[in-house]
Amino acid sequence: MALLEAAEAAAARLGAERVVLQTGDRQPDAVRVYEREGYTPIPVYPPYHLVPNSRCYMKRVT
């Protein structure tokens, strides 16, 4: 969680509106952490659309 929090804080400091992450459905622990921390699924984006079982997530930062 500390790494996610640091990434979110850095993104907010830099003026980003959101953090976007990619993982795979073969990494269920990562999926659970992202969802528990408020990340929502989004459509898979390039180049990950070429990776079977890819999952992408987004969270707005303030």
Side-chain angles (χ1 to χ4, degrees):
M1 253 91 58
L3 184 57
L4 283 178
E5 291 170 2
E8 293 166 9
R13 274 194 312 276
L14 294 170
E17 295 180 8
R18 63 189 183 148
V19 173
V20 177
L21 303 170
Q22 183 275 339
T23 190
D25 64 2
R26 293 182 182 171
Q27 297 173 312
D29 292 339
V31 169
R32 279 191 293 277
V33 168
Y34 294 163
E35 291 177 352
R36 183 184 67 223
E37 295 302 312
Y39 285 78
T40 56
I42 60 172
V44 177
Y45 54 89
Y48 300 112
H49 68 292
L50 300 174
V51 179
N53 307 312
S54 187
R55 298 180 83 177
C56 296
Y57 291 85
M58 181 272 301
K59 181 177 180 180
R60 297 217 175 272
V61 294
T62 55

